[in-house]
Amino acid sequence: MFSPDATLRSTLSTRNPRRRHRTTSTDSFATRQSNKRRKRSSLAPDTFEPLNPTKVNGHTGYANGDAVEPTPDPHSLRDVSVEPASLAVRTRGSKRGDKRGRREDGVVQAKNDHYTVTKEHNLPRPVAELLGKEEAWHGTFSQSLGYAVATTHTQAIVWSYAPKKNTIDSSKSYTINLPFGSSARHSGDPLPLATLVHDAGAGELALLVALPNGKLVYWESVPSAATGDIARQKQQGLQSSVGGMFSSEHITDLTDAEPDGFILTSSVGRIIHLSVRDSQGRPAISLHYLRSNSTSTSLLGSFRNVFSSSAWKREIAAVRPGLLRGKNSRRCIAANVQGHFQIWDLARHGSQNLEFEIDAKAQILSAIQAVKPAMNDNYLDFQLLDFSFEPTAPEKQHDSDKLFVLVALADGTSNYYFLVVVKMQKESLEVDVVYPISCWSTAPSVDSDWPTFKPRLLLPHPAHTAFLVFDTYLIMVSLGKVGNTSDTQIQQESHALSESYQDVLFINRDNFDHIVGCAVEPSEQDTNRATCLILAQTFGLARASAKRTGENVLKDERRASKCRSCIEQAVFFKHSQGNLFDFRFALSAVDWEQSEVERATLDINDSIIDNDSQYIPAMMPSMDHQLTLRATALIDLIKCVGKYAISQPLRWHLLQSAEKIAGSKAIWRTYNDTLSTKGPNDKVLLPELLDMIHEKYKHENEPERGETDIVRHYFTLDVKQLGLLIPWAQKSVEELWIEGVTSPKHQAYLTSQANDIVNHCLEAAFDFRQQNAEVFGVRSDIIEDGIFQGDHAFLKDNWWTSMEESLKYVKKLVDLDREIAVNNAESPQDEDGGISEDLAIKLSLDNPKLVHHCCQIFEERIRFLNSRPDDKAQESGKQTKATYLRVRHDMIFGLTDIGLYTDAFKLAEQYQDMKSLVEVFDRFQMECAVEINRPGISEDDRIAVEQKWEETEARKQRYFRNYGARWASAVYDRKLMNGELRGLLTEDAIHHNFLTQYLRNRSDLSGLTWMHEVAQGNFKLASEDLTKAQRNETHVWSKKIELSMAKLTMLAAAEKGQVDKENLAKVSRKADRRLEILEVQEQLYAYIKPLLSQAIDRTAAVDLAMESFGDFVADKPVLHEILKKHLCALMEKRALDAEELIDTLTLLSGSSQPTEDSFTHLRFYFALKLLKLTGFDGDRKHLHQQLIWRRCLLQDDWAALNRTEKKDDYAVAAESEGTIFFQTLKQGFREGIFEILPPLPPSEVMGAGSDLQSLRQSARYATTQDDMLSKLAKDLAVEDKALAVAVDKGRLEAWWPGVVEGARDAVRREADEVGRLLAADEANRRQAEAMFNGDGDGDGEAVDPEGDTTMG
């Protein structure tokens, strides 16, 4: 690395070597020069007054990694004010410098709570022109002088980058042509190295340039060198070259170590000490290789030192000059890439001494592994990139140096960076702290012989932030303080502090830009900020300034802050033209959690919508422009985070925020237009509206703070509450009317403004949603007319565009606007305050837009309510939809009141509102008919109206084609409502299919359907339609007629071959069963009908019937209500189903008359017959069978029948045959019904339905609620108790078989008697036939069945 070599001497080509004697130590070189030999300088007396040096407690410390000593007092510079001409020039220059020195802040390139990067515009023209070229260059700064130099292969351009300090014109620059610029082989060759210094001897700004091949040139005066041609510049500059360089060796770095000269480093690890003054202070270039202490002074020994040293083959990472040690010596530290440090003591004029060497690699690696155990021995590629002194006061240094070292470790796939703080004292080194660079890791770089830019570590005062500068990115690391707590002590012992703030900025590579120079900027007044300067190839000069970050910040909080910062950078600086940084990779540089991204996104969104973002001006002359900035930021926000899997609710939240900004812009522009067009006495609605809104929903103006514009104040701070303006537009008009605005003109003008607020706001919002949905990650195909058609379950709150109040007040605004338009459509403007024709027309044209937006609000609100899980919201959704259908029809049809038929047709078609479409169509045709028959109509008008009529007919046919059955149904509904039955049945043949479908769907039009199907010859369909229709028919007579007609029509279908005999028989059986059920109901009605004549009304008839027939259910409340309900339906001739009829028949109390033909005695038989007709089976059938027989047994007094004492058999038999049970059995045996439903003994009917379990077995009660079913079971249990009494007291179980057998015998006797009579009749018939044919006896006598003889 640090190979020694012989001292090299340079020659002075054009300088007079004559020595000048000094007079006193206080005399300056300048004052001893003659005025004739002194060149006039264009620099002001204080040109080289240094910037405020980096100070700590009043003492100068380190800056830019080097130890900075206080610069000379400006008064020690050459005093040129004695020359009058120079005085005049410099005075003017000073004034110009003062004037232009007030530099404005540059354009912000990146900014957050921790740092700011701005572009500096004070570049002179030559440098600005250099930015636009492809020519390679790099820059070097002189912090103490405030100057910079840009070096190309052919030129060096010097300019002042700190006009606050330098009084010369900041746009002034000095271009010096390099005398050896032509020596570059091609553009890819390394660039010359340059540095600026203050030449104490000449009192001028001096420039030293070193070419990589070792050639050197030094100009004592930059202004002088910048004048004249190349030949003159050569004469003014000292030229030399570095001797002893190898063919492949080149100069890699030039470091200012003044006042002891400069330090050159070579590619093979050698260090050269360069001085531009000899021991007498005369200009002279001398070079000395730094060499280790060696005992050999021979020639061979020198060569041995050169070729045997292993260090010189290692690349030097950095050389940093330390503090001065007296007047003539200075400490210098050098480090190579392998972590080997050498500490040199340099003296003026070439003497040097190597104090000691330290190999820090092992200690640094050990400390890194203690912090990051994963960095094991696999990370073999160690590289020290740069190091810097800690900027602190000299008196605090003592004999130690605290260094910040930038280290890179590579594992073959990535480079990992660490900032290591080491303490170097004498010959020992101790690792203090390790800062892992967690914000960025890079892929291994490809080695290059000519690296464009070496990584730099910049540590500005006050040393709270380190800047790591690479060729294409900039890393900022916050350096936290170390406290005295136990935690920090443990962290110190492990060489780790709590994770500090870090961030990385990527250079924009679109223009192949990269960093070509950087330096620390000495702090001035704000000692809380650390600042560095950056030069980029095509961008120019930028200033990065970081402030001290908070200490003891939790890791999660720091990550959250950084995540937000990354997003904000990408959002707010994305559109900066020619931005130095590319923020596309900033967010992806860290593996963020979804929750972190969502939290940061929501915070940024809220800051934009609340106008609380530091990146957007809170107030601007143009409110429209300010809202545009916020709108653009919201779009950029979702584009930035859209690639992450952020949740659907957050996407919609962002979308709605952007919609509010779009709506705000629309309202603001409307307000602007109103201000520019209003009359002198016209009232502007928007300020009044905002004043009426409760302070709960807005920020109140504070006039004492100058807040007097309520409208700007609202759109600045309260856009989040924009949805309130929609209902308040109409409410504010009402309030102003109440407050005294009575002029129709002013009322109309206020209404017009309310229309504009609602229309423009909602139109902008819904259009924005429709057009930008995909940007926010929402499929555009599920948004129709601005309304989301998908699942709303993820939404927590209602849409801001469809607040509940908006439903009511937008509808009221529609009606108010139409009312004013109708009343004033033809009213001319007059002196009494009538509205103008233009305003009347505008109000009319506003109405369709209001109707459209009102429909949008309703539809959006309904979808939201239907998505809610609670029953209350669901019910509200149903009610809102019912209201909407009615309101929509009224609003669309209301457009015809102001003659807007085209808009009415358009809206009805859009919402496919067939009812409104038909009514608008009918009214339009009606007006055409009235107009065409108007007396005195001109021929042209008549032809125009006829043409409109033809167009409406064409429109009608188009509707049939486009909407089909929906349009046809609405047309037919309209005809029925108007009583146009003839027109309905005589509809055009081309539309009869629609009519057929319509009638088949209308069960209430069964008669018309039957007539239509029969007319079409569809007998089978006519019968089926009528059969279906009767199921919904409630009237007994109508039901019976429909069944009969259906049966008759089916017979006709069979004759036409539309149905086969099997299906005919099946249909006939079903019809017959239904007719039998209806026949039973008619008999039951006939049984109770006599009571109706005794009652004054239906209610009285029901009460009378319950008194007459309700004894059986008197103690059974549920069964009592069931019987009463069924009797009421019976009296109203409403059809009861079979089960309802069974309940009614079995719950009635019968007559005491034991007549065999009495309906009372036969009602249980009818109940069994109905049960047979239903076709029930299983538990349902069995439960009904049990209840019928149990109630039948309870109709008779079995205890009285059981008392047989003093009764003969005839009397007992007569009593048993008079029971309802016996009559039911007898009729059942007659009809043979017991083959399917046999009689059940008391033991089998006991307990039927007396508990929930037995009732649940029947499908009839499968859905009945438990509480209702329990009450029914309780009533049925009462029947069980009564039956148990009959079994116990009347020995019913013993009597039951005998009564059943008696009924069977009675039926047998009847059958035998009937057989005997039939046989006698047959015998008489045959005898009569014989006598008639002459086959009988001649006397013609015949014997009758009784045995009597009769005459033939």
Side-chain angles (χ1 to χ4, degrees):
M1 168 180 169
F2 309 109
S3 175
D5 201 349
T7 303
L8 303 176
R9 299 185 180 274
S10 63
T11 60
L12 182 61
S13 59
T14 59
R15 290 289 181 179
N16 186 351
R18 187 173 50 191
R19 181 173 180 179
R20 297 179 183 271
H21 298 280
R22 299 178 182 270
T23 54
T24 62
S25 60
T26 58
D27 291 340
S28 68
F29 178 75
T31 56
R32 293 192 303 273
Q33 286 184 336
S34 66
N35 290 339
K36 293 182 180 180
R37 297 183 58 85
R38 184 170 58 243
K39 295 183 176 64
R40 176 180 296 177
S41 173
S42 61
L43 305 181
D46 58 349
T47 295
F48 301 109
E49 181 183 344
L51 295 173
N52 291 341
T54 303
K55 292 185 179 182
V56 178
N57 296 332
H59 297 278
T60 304
Y62 291 103
N64 200 28
D66 305 336
V68 178
E69 296 300 326
T71 56
D73 192 324
H75 298 290
S76 67
L77 299 178
R78 182 180 58 177
D79 184 8
V80 296
S81 60
V82 297
E83 185 176 349
S86 298
L87 178 63
V89 173
R90 282 190 288 271
T91 302
R92 290 195 295 267
S94 176
K95 291 181 178 179
R96 287 196 299 270
D98 291 341
K99 180 178 180 180
R100 301 191 182 194
R102 296 189 295 270
R103 178 179 53 85
E104 298 179 356
D105 292 337
V107 177
V108 177
Q109 303 295 300
K111 182 180 179 181
N112 61 18
D113 293 336
H114 303 281
Y115 61 83
T116 302
V117 182
T118 58
K119 179 175 183 178
E120 302 304 309
H121 295 284
N122 56 338
L123 292 179
R125 177 176 294 181
V127 179
E129 292 175 350
L130 192 62
L131 302 180
K133 299 179 182 179
E134 296 182 358
E135 182 180 6
W137 65 281
H138 66 186
T140 307
F141 295 89
S142 176
Q143 301 96 303
S144 61
L145 301 177
Y147 278 84
V149 55
T151 311
T152 69
H153 285 294
T154 60
Q155 291 181 329
I157 305 172
V158 180
W159 81 97
S160 170
Y161 69 86
K164 283 186 177 180
K165 174 58 190 170
N166 299 294
T167 57
I168 66 169
D169 190 341
S170 62
S171 64
K172 177 69 174 177
S173 65
Y174 305 94
T175 301
I176 302 174
N177 296 316
L178 302 181
F180 37 69
S182 60
S183 63
R185 296 187 296 273
H186 52 77
S187 60
D189 286 348
L191 293 164
L193 305 173
T195 184
L196 293 165
V197 294
H198 166 241
D199 192 310
E204 297 278 0
L205 178 66
L207 173 65
L208 174 65
V209 177
L211 206 66
N213 60 11
K215 293 183 179 181
L216 305 169
V217 62
Y218 176 72
W219 287 278
E220 289 184 274
S221 172
V222 169
S224 297
T227 61
D229 53 16
I230 296 179
R232 184 175 178 183
Q233 290 177 354
K234 288 182 179 179
Q235 294 175 358
Q236 293 174 346
L238 294 176
Q239 296 189 32
S240 182
S241 62
V242 179
M245 293 182 63
F246 303 111
S247 60
S248 61
E249 185 180 9
H250 57 272
I251 303 301
T252 59
D253 198 8
L254 171 60
T255 305
D256 178 10
E258 282 287 77
D260 294 320
F262 307 89
I263 299 175
L264 300 172
T265 59
S266 75
S267 58
V268 298
R270 295 199 290 179
I271 304 176
I272 303 103
H273 183 205
L274 183 150
S275 177
V276 294
R277 293 280 173 182
D278 60 15
S279 60
Q280 303 300 321
R282 294 173 299 180
I285 296 178
S286 61
L287 299 102
H288 305 273
Y289 281 104
L290 300 190
R291 56 185 178 179
S292 303
N293 295 329
S294 175
T295 58
S296 176
T297 58
S298 65
L299 178 63
L300 292 177
S302 300
F303 276 101
R304 186 182 302 112
N305 288 334
V306 172
F307 292 104
S308 65
S309 174
S310 60
W312 69 277
K313 292 185 179 181
R314 299 176 182 177
E315 180 184 351
I316 297 176
V319 177
R320 297 286 177 261
L323 294 174
L324 285 174
R325 293 178 172 179
K327 284 187 176 183
N328 299 318
S329 67
R330 187 167 195 166
R331 198 179 196 190
C332 178
I333 300 180
N336 67 10
V337 294
Q338 294 300 315
H340 190 86
F341 288 87
Q342 285 189 340
I343 292 80
W344 293 85
D345 182 18
L346 303 182
R348 289 189 180 185
H349 315 306
S351 63
Q352 69 275 337
N353 177 44
L354 177 61
E355 294 185 353
F356 59 90
E357 298 181 76
I358 298 176
D359 189 353
K361 177 179 177 179
Q363 289 178 272
I364 292 176
L365 277 176
S366 176
I368 291 175
Q369 290 176 359
V371 176
K372 293 287 185 180
M375 298 294 172
N376 50 36
D377 294 338
N378 293 329
Y379 293 83
L380 300 178
D381 190 358
F382 172 93
Q383 189 173 14
L384 189 151
L385 302 178
D386 195 12
F387 72 91
S388 175
F389 290 100
E390 180 186 28
T392 185
E395 70 272 10
K396 296 183 179 181
Q397 291 298 314
H398 304 292
D399 294 329
S400 66
D401 287 298
K402 190 172 186 179
L403 304 181
F404 286 73
V405 183
L406 178 59
V407 173
L409 293 181
D411 61 356
T413 59
S414 298
N415 289 338
Y416 303 92
Y417 301 104
F418 299 86
L419 185 58
V420 183
V421 182
V422 300
K423 292 180 180 179
M424 188 177 297
Q425 187 171 4
K426 295 184 178 180
E427 298 186 10
S428 66
L429 181 141
E430 178 185 353
V431 176
D432 188 10
V433 180
V434 175
Y435 295 94
I437 307 304
S438 59
C439 65
W440 182 242
S441 62
T442 63
S445 60
V446 179
D447 292 336
S448 173
D449 292 336
W450 308 106
T452 57
F453 183 81
K454 294 175 62 176
R456 288 294 311 274
L457 167 61
L458 303 181
L459 195 62
H461 180 77
H464 56 66
T465 302
F467 295 87
L468 313 183
V469 186
F470 295 79
D471 57 346
T472 57
Y473 49 95
L474 170 66
I475 297 176
M476 285 154 286
V477 182
S478 176
L479 308 177
K481 288 185 177 180
V482 181
N484 295 322
T485 65
S486 58
D487 291 340
T488 55
Q489 290 176 2
I490 294 174
Q491 291 171 352
Q492 281 183 293
E493 292 174 0
S494 62
H495 310 294
L497 291 176
S498 59
E499 184 174 354
S500 59
Y501 176 82
Q502 300 178 13
D503 202 357
V504 57
L505 294 173
F506 300 90
I507 302 300
N508 193 337
R509 299 291 290 159
D510 291 343
N511 297 324
F512 304 99
D513 208 353
H514 60 276
I515 295 176
V516 296
C518 64
V520 165
E521 184 176 46
S523 62
E524 298 180 1
Q525 298 173 352
D526 186 4
T527 58
N528 192 38
R529 285 190 171 272
T531 307
C532 74
L533 300 169
I534 297 172
L535 271 174
Q537 172 78 28
T538 62
F539 175 82
L541 179 62
R543 176 177 276 102
S545 175
K547 67 179 183 180
R548 189 184 303 277
T549 59
E551 300 173 9
N552 302 322
V553 180
L554 297 178
K555 179 179 179 181
D556 291 343
E557 293 181 4
R558 194 176 295 282
R559 279 182 61 90
S561 174
K562 183 177 178 181
C563 182
R564 173 172 178 172
S565 172
C566 290
I567 299 174
E568 286 178 328
Q569 304 274 19
V571 168
F572 294 104
F573 298 104
K574 175 181 179 181
H575 298 290
S576 298
Q577 186 175 5
N579 199 303
L580 174 61
F581 302 112
D582 186 347
F583 299 101
R584 291 174 295 180
F585 309 105
L587 197 57
S588 60
V590 180
D591 187 14
W592 301 107
E593 298 289 339
Q594 177 183 347
S595 59
E596 293 176 318
V597 176
E598 290 193 356
R599 176 185 172 187
T601 302
L602 183 60
D603 290 344
I604 296 170
N605 171 83
D606 292 346
S607 69
I608 296 172
I609 200 73
D610 294 335
N611 202 26
D612 192 31
S613 174
Q614 61 176 319
Y615 304 99
I616 300 177
M619 294 186 63
M620 299 181 69
S622 172
M623 191 74 234
D624 184 88
H625 182 55
Q626 205 265 357
L627 290 170
T628 299
L629 291 179
R630 292 157 74 181
T632 303
L634 288 173
I635 291 290
D636 290 339
L637 175 60
I638 187 60
K639 287 182 178 179
C640 176
V641 302
K643 60 184 178 181
Y644 289 86
I646 60 176
S647 63
Q648 194 75 347
L650 179 57
R651 291 182 182 273
W652 278 107
H653 183 80
L654 298 178
L655 177 57
Q656 292 196 69
S657 295
E659 292 169 8
K660 291 177 182 179
I661 296 294
S664 298
K665 286 179 63 179
I667 296 177
W668 176 260
R669 291 173 179 177
T670 299
Y671 172 67
N672 262 353
D673 293 341
T674 302
L675 292 178
S676 62
T677 59
K678 75 180 187 69
N681 298 322
D682 292 335
K683 184 181 289 292
V684 180
L685 178 63
L686 187 56
E688 303 289 340
L689 183 158
L690 296 177
D691 186 55
M692 295 178 189
I693 293 178
H694 194 275
E695 60 184 11
K696 176 181 178 181
Y697 303 106
K698 67 180 180 182
H699 291 79
E700 285 289 332
N701 273 12
E702 298 183 21
E704 63 275 8
R705 298 180 56 187
E707 298 172 354
T708 58
D709 191 337
I710 189 173
V711 180
R712 287 181 182 270
H713 193 68
Y714 185 87
F715 287 113
T716 300
L717 300 176
D718 298 309
V719 171
K720 183 181 291 185
Q721 303 291 343
L722 186 68
L724 291 174
L725 269 61
I726 298 173
W728 268 99
Q730 195 278 337
K731 291 171 68 175
S732 61
V733 173
E734 283 187 355
E735 292 294 329
L736 290 174
W737 287 18
I738 295 173
E739 292 177 4
V741 178
T742 58
S743 168
K745 175 182 177 181
H746 291 158
Q747 290 177 348
Y749 187 62
L750 290 173
T751 304
S752 173
Q753 293 180 63
N755 294 347
D756 291 341
I757 291 173
V758 173
N759 282 335
H760 293 170
C761 178
L762 291 178
E763 182 178 6
F766 285 121
D767 286 351
F768 183 91
R769 186 183 302 168
Q770 185 75 52
Q771 297 168 9
N772 295 276
E774 291 188 352
V775 177
F776 288 82
V778 181
R779 293 191 354 249
S780 59
D781 59 331
I782 58 175
I783 294 183
E784 183 178 340
D785 194 27
I787 300 172
F788 179 55
Q789 307 294 320
D791 184 14
H792 288 62
F794 61 85
L795 284 178
K796 296 181 180 179
D797 301 318
N798 187 33
W799 300 95
W800 73 275
T801 46
S802 54
M803 298 169 61
E804 186 174 3
E805 282 192 330
S806 299
L807 302 178
K808 174 183 176 182
Y809 286 99
V810 174
K811 170 59 172 61
K812 292 180 70 174
L813 184 60
V814 171
D815 296 339
L816 176 63
D817 173 77
R818 184 174 62 249
E819 179 183 354
I820 296 176
V822 169
N823 295 337
N824 299 277
E826 299 180 358
S827 300
Q829 184 176 7
D830 54 28
E831 297 179 357
D832 296 331
I835 70 173
S836 66
E837 181 179 357
D838 291 342
L839 183 56
I841 293 174
K842 179 187 179 300
L843 291 172
S844 298
L845 297 179
D846 285 343
N847 205 255
K849 298 178 183 178
L850 290 172
V851 172
H852 178 215
H853 294 140
C854 188
C855 292
Q856 288 177 302
I857 294 172
F858 265 102
E859 292 202 346
E860 190 173 71
R861 177 70 177 173
I862 292 168
R863 288 186 175 276
F864 173 77
L865 291 173
N866 290 339
S867 69
R868 301 300 92 186
D870 56 295
D871 295 337
K872 183 178 179 181
Q874 292 281 340
E875 183 61 29
S876 178
K878 294 178 182 179
Q879 295 176 1
T880 304
K881 184 173 182 179
T883 303
Y884 168 55
L885 296 178
R886 173 177 52 81
V887 166
R888 185 180 68 189
H889 166 266
D890 294 343
M891 292 190 301
I892 293 177
F893 188 73
L895 293 174
T896 62
D897 294 339
I898 50 180
L900 299 178
Y901 285 97
T902 301
D903 294 292
F905 279 127
K906 180 180 178 181
L907 287 170
E909 291 172 8
Q910 177 179 349
Y911 292 104
Q912 299 187 10
D913 187 342
M914 297 298 109
K915 179 181 178 183
S916 300
L917 195 59
V918 168
E919 292 188 14
V920 172
F921 182 87
D922 283 354
R923 182 167 184 178
F924 185 71
Q925 277 199 329
M926 182 181 66
E927 288 199 3
C928 288
V930 171
E931 180 66 17
I932 203 170
N933 295 318
R934 178 173 56 84
I937 185 174
S938 65
E939 183 65 17
D940 292 341
D941 290 344
R942 186 184 62 79
I943 294 175
V945 175
E946 289 177 349
Q947 184 177 357
K948 288 183 179 180
W949 181 273
E950 294 175 357
E951 290 175 356
T952 58
E953 287 297 322
R955 181 188 292 270
K956 177 181 177 181
Q957 300 305 320
R958 177 164 58 86
Y959 287 160
F960 270 110
R961 291 193 304 271
N962 294 344
Y963 302 123
R966 289 180 298 160
W967 163 256
S969 297
V971 172
Y972 302 147
D973 286 341
R974 183 74 174 174
K975 288 182 179 294
L976 287 175
M977 186 179 67
N978 294 336
E980 301 175 7
L981 296 180
R982 180 182 295 275
L984 184 64
L985 293 177
T986 58
E987 186 66 32
D988 295 339
I990 59 175
H991 300 141
H992 71 83
N993 290 334
F994 293 129
L995 179 60
T996 300
Q997 182 180 354
Y998 171 77
L999 292 174
R1000 289 176 182 175
N1001 294 332
R1002 290 290 300 270
S1003 59
D1004 57 324
L1005 300 177
S1006 57
L1008 286 176
T1009 306
W1010 181 82
M1011 294 171 62
H1012 176 72
E1013 297 287 4
V1014 169
Q1016 299 294 322
N1018 300 324
F1019 296 106
K1020 179 184 177 182
L1021 293 176
S1023 176
E1024 292 175 352
D1025 289 340
L1026 209 54
T1027 301
K1028 293 178 182 178
Q1030 63 84 28
R1031 295 173 185 171
N1032 298 323
E1033 181 59 61
T1034 59
H1035 195 275
V1036 175
W1037 184 86
S1038 298
K1039 196 177 188 74
K1040 187 174 183 181
I1041 293 299
E1042 289 174 355
L1043 282 170
S1044 300
M1045 292 176 66
K1047 182 178 179 180
L1048 181 63
T1049 309
M1050 188 60 73
L1051 293 173
E1055 290 183 2
K1056 294 291 184 180
Q1058 297 176 1
V1059 64
D1060 55 28
K1061 292 182 179 181
E1062 182 179 354
N1063 286 331
L1064 176 63
K1066 183 179 180 180
V1067 171
S1068 298
R1069 286 194 298 270
K1070 289 182 179 180
D1072 290 341
R1073 286 199 298 267
R1074 291 169 182 161
L1075 288 171
E1076 287 186 59
I1077 294 174
L1078 292 176
E1079 182 65 27
V1080 172
Q1081 181 168 345
E1082 287 186 335
Q1083 293 183 42
L1084 179 58
Y1085 177 77
Y1087 175 66
I1088 65 173
K1089 183 178 180 180
L1091 293 175
L1092 299 179
S1093 60
Q1094 303 176 21
I1096 58 176
D1097 56 22
R1098 186 65 51 80
T1099 303
V1102 173
D1103 293 339
L1104 186 59
M1106 291 300 297
E1107 290 178 6
S1108 302
F1109 304 112
D1111 292 342
F1112 183 74
V1113 296
D1115 57 344
K1116 307 175 186 70
V1118 175
L1119 295 177
H1120 183 277
E1121 290 301 318
I1122 290 174
L1123 179 60
K1124 185 176 181 179
K1125 173 185 175 183
H1126 293 169
L1127 287 176
C1128 182
L1130 194 65
M1131 294 178 184
E1132 294 175 355
K1133 295 186 177 182
R1134 287 188 282 111
L1136 299 175
D1137 62 33
E1139 290 182 301
E1140 291 173 336
L1141 280 173
I1142 290 173
D1143 287 340
T1144 306
L1145 290 169
T1146 57
L1147 293 177
L1148 286 174
S1149 297
S1151 172
S1152 60
Q1153 299 295 329
T1155 56
E1156 194 171 306
D1157 58 346
S1158 172
F1159 181 84
T1160 303
H1161 289 69
L1162 296 179
R1163 68 184 189 276
F1164 289 96
Y1165 162 74
F1166 288 127
L1168 291 170
K1169 181 179 180 180
L1170 290 172
L1171 183 58
K1172 176 184 176 182
L1173 292 173
T1174 59
F1176 291 154
D1177 56 9
D1179 293 333
R1180 191 170 190 174
K1181 168 189 172 183
H1182 187 63
L1183 179 60
H1184 277 298
Q1185 188 178 0
Q1186 288 178 306
L1187 294 177
I1188 291 172
W1189 284 116
R1190 184 170 69 188
R1191 290 169 183 173
C1192 180
L1193 293 172
L1194 292 176
Q1195 299 300 310
D1196 302 307
D1197 189 354
W1198 294 100
L1201 181 64
N1202 187 55
R1203 291 191 292 271
T1204 58
E1205 63 273 12
K1206 298 181 181 181
K1207 295 180 182 178
D1208 56 17
D1209 289 346
Y1210 179 80
V1212 174
E1215 288 184 8
S1216 65
E1217 292 175 1
T1219 62
I1220 293 178
F1221 179 57
F1222 184 87
Q1223 297 298 327
T1224 302
L1225 290 170
K1226 189 176 179 180
Q1227 186 65 21
F1229 283 124
R1230 286 172 182 165
E1231 301 295 336
I1233 196 173
F1234 295 146
E1235 295 177 2
I1236 300 175
L1237 299 170
L1240 298 179
S1243 59
E1244 293 190 23
V1245 301
M1246 187 72 72
S1250 58
D1251 56 54
L1252 280 175
Q1253 183 178 0
S1254 61
L1255 288 174
R1256 286 291 185 200
Q1257 293 176 355
S1258 173
R1260 182 184 185 187
Y1261 303 111
T1263 59
T1264 306
Q1265 296 180 357
D1266 287 346
D1267 56 345
M1268 184 63 189
L1269 210 57
S1270 298
K1271 295 177 181 178
L1272 176 60
K1274 186 176 180 180
D1275 283 2
L1276 296 178
V1278 175
E1279 293 183 5
D1280 255 359
K1281 292 181 181 179
L1283 183 61
V1285 173
V1287 171
D1288 185 34
K1289 302 295 183 181
R1291 297 193 300 167
L1292 178 56
E1293 195 72 43
W1295 281 100
W1296 187 86
V1299 176
V1300 172
E1301 190 60 33
R1304 184 182 289 110
D1305 290 342
V1307 172
R1308 287 173 183 164
R1309 290 195 300 271
E1310 287 182 355
D1312 291 343
E1313 182 63 22
V1314 170
R1316 187 184 65 79
L1317 292 175
L1318 291 176
D1321 289 342
E1322 181 66 19
N1324 288 337
R1325 185 184 63 77
R1326 290 178 180 178
Q1327 185 178 7
E1329 289 179 353
M1331 291 178 63
F1332 181 77
N1333 294 327
D1335 295 334
D1337 297 335
D1339 56 8
E1341 295 178 350
V1343 181
D1344 63 12
E1346 301 295 333
D1348 297 332
T1349 301
T1350 60
M1351 295 301 294

